[in-house]
Amino acid sequence: MIDSRQQNSLVARSLRSVWHPCTQMQHHETLPLIPVSHGKGAWLFDTEGKRYLDGISSWWVNLFGHANPRINNALKEQLDKIEHAMLAGFTHEPVVQLSEQLAERTGHMLGHCFYASDGASAVEIALKMSFHAWRNSGRTEKQEFVCLKGSYHGETIGALAVTDVAIFRDAYGPLLQRAHVIDSPDARNAQDGESASDVARRAAKALEVLLQEHADTIAAVIVEPLVQCATGMAMYDPVYLQEVRSLCDRYQVHLIADEIAVGCGRTGTFFACEQAAIWPDFLCLSKGISGGYLPLSLVMTRDEIYRAFYDADVARGFLHSHSYTGNPLACRAALATLSIFEEDNVLETNRVKATRLTAALAPLVDHPHVTNFRQRGMIWAFDVGIDDADLAASFSRRFFSAALEQELLLRPIGTTVYLMPPYILNDDEIDWLAERMQSVLHQVLIQGRDT
């Protein structure tokens, strides 16, 4: 066990030398930085032995718990074979198996996988592929992209250009290509008498108006299927994906499905697009695909896209590359993750867990400060009404800090509280998570009222 002086030293060393992501570092003068020692199952442990239930799967990546024995064993076995080899001019069993298994899950509609290391890079690849495929087809004018209001697709320059979350993109506006931003199908936008499907169809009409005028110059529409996560877990009806697929076909525009956060069973089906019975032209995966173990992302695409690059001319090839593309260890972790889905009947088991957790959270539905309680698969969210602007601005940090005191890792988005837990919670942990989260909400609201 590391004593408190060593723990404080580790935190101080980190604050001196590590620039932490998505963080205003000055906030750590008062906001706790947790020195993690190890993880087991749904729990993280700090260097003093205090535990925290990982209610957000460590930024939505850890599907089957920390230190999962089956994924651990797969990686140990792979370590004795090959840790890495460049994928240009070489191949290896893990990357081939993973590509084959993922293609099979799409019924081979998306039969070609291109690999990278993180979600934003996958989005960059899809955008570049779309543009270049049109170019190779003689449609050089198709250079523009369409995204949804509140969309988030990553923070590299290309991905940020199709992101519509101001705090991430405003500082870099001069560097970004302009995208067409269209209405979101977010069910919270319902007008009097409208259902979620009505909102979805209304949003699709806005896309149709845009395509009627600009389809000749638009390469692709990019969407987060079913849930726009970073804008506050905006959930929408699957009919929107059906409408967009139809419009893209009619106006000869590619459809990119960013399933980085919502794929791998998170919305209730392995691919979110399955709930609309459609397939995009490009499908981006990352986060949960490696079980939360190693950086891995990929883009799946159709044969006709692949064929647009297949030529003797090197310049017509897709020359994008990353040093660790298709890393064997990361691919082996992904294969172990897919095996768990099959062996444990995860999607069906998750439906049972989701029903229990939704029932445990039921008191929130009538809470006077809670609106828009919602759930899709293994994602739960609700919005907290706070009249005071300063208290609303600090809500996320105050909630995060209070949750840590009650052994929870939760990180609200603005005034939206959400859960995205690992799939391995048992009944006791589900009940404990629901009870503690409601207790944290009560504590934060009381503190805010007394401030």
Side-chain angles (χ1 to χ4, degrees), residues 4 28 31 90 107 111 127 129 211 226 242 255 280 286 291 300 310 363 385 391 412 427 432:
S4 59
H28 279 307
L31 191 69
F90 292 83
L127 297 173
M129 271 189 180
L211 293 180
L226 302 184
Q242 297 171 351
L255 174 58
S286 190
M300 305 181 70
Y310 199 85
L391 290 177
D427 286 350
W432 189 92

Side-chain angles (χ1 to χ4, degrees), residues 44-71:
L44 293 168
F45 296 83
D46 70 18
T47 49
E48 288 193 326
K50 185 176 180 180
R51 66 178 190 169
Y52 307 90
L53 194 148
D54 192 351
I56 58 172
S57 299
S58 287
W59 256 349
W60 322 341
V61 302
N62 186 271
L63 300 189
F64 298 118
H66 300 283
N68 183 283
R70 283 182 278 183
I71 302 177

Side-chain angles (χ1 to χ4, degrees), residues 87-229:
L87 205 59
F90 292 83
T91 194
H92 51 78
E93 189 66 26
V95 77
V96 174
Q97 282 189 24
L98 181 57
S99 302
E100 290 173 340
Q101 290 187 25
L102 289 172
E104 186 174 353
R105 283 181 173 274
T106 72
H108 298 278
M109 292 295 293
L110 304 174
H112 303 275
C113 294
F114 195 101
Y115 288 84
S117 301
D118 60 83
S121 294
V123 170
E124 295 275 342
I125 287 165
L127 297 173
K128 288 176 65 177
M129 271 189 180
S130 175
F131 163 81
H132 200 163
W134 289 121
R135 180 175 182 268
N136 283 354
S137 302
R139 301 290 303 275
T140 57
E141 73 282 2
K142 293 176 80 66
Q143 302 180 12
E144 300 171 0
F145 297 97
V146 180
C147 65
L148 300 181
K149 287 181 180 177
S151 59
Y152 177 88
H153 299 288
E155 293 167 50
T156 51
I157 295 300
L160 201 55
V162 289
T163 288
D164 186 50
V165 180
I167 197 168
F168 296 123
R169 64 165 287 144
D170 281 0
Y172 310 103
L175 304 179
L176 307 178
Q177 178 178 327
R178 187 183 70 86
H180 299 278
V181 181
I182 57 171
D183 291 346
S184 168
D186 182 353
R188 292 175 297 179
N189 294 333
Q191 299 171 1
D192 288 346
E194 277 193 322
S195 65
S197 60
D198 292 333
V199 178
R201 289 187 172 90
R202 176 160 54 83
K205 286 290 185 184
L207 173 60
E208 182 175 16
V209 170
L210 176 69
L211 293 180
Q212 286 172 344
E213 187 173 350
H214 296 287
D216 288 346
T217 58
I218 291 173
V221 177
I222 183 168
V223 299
E224 302 157 84
L226 302 184
V227 185
Q228 295 178 256
C229 294

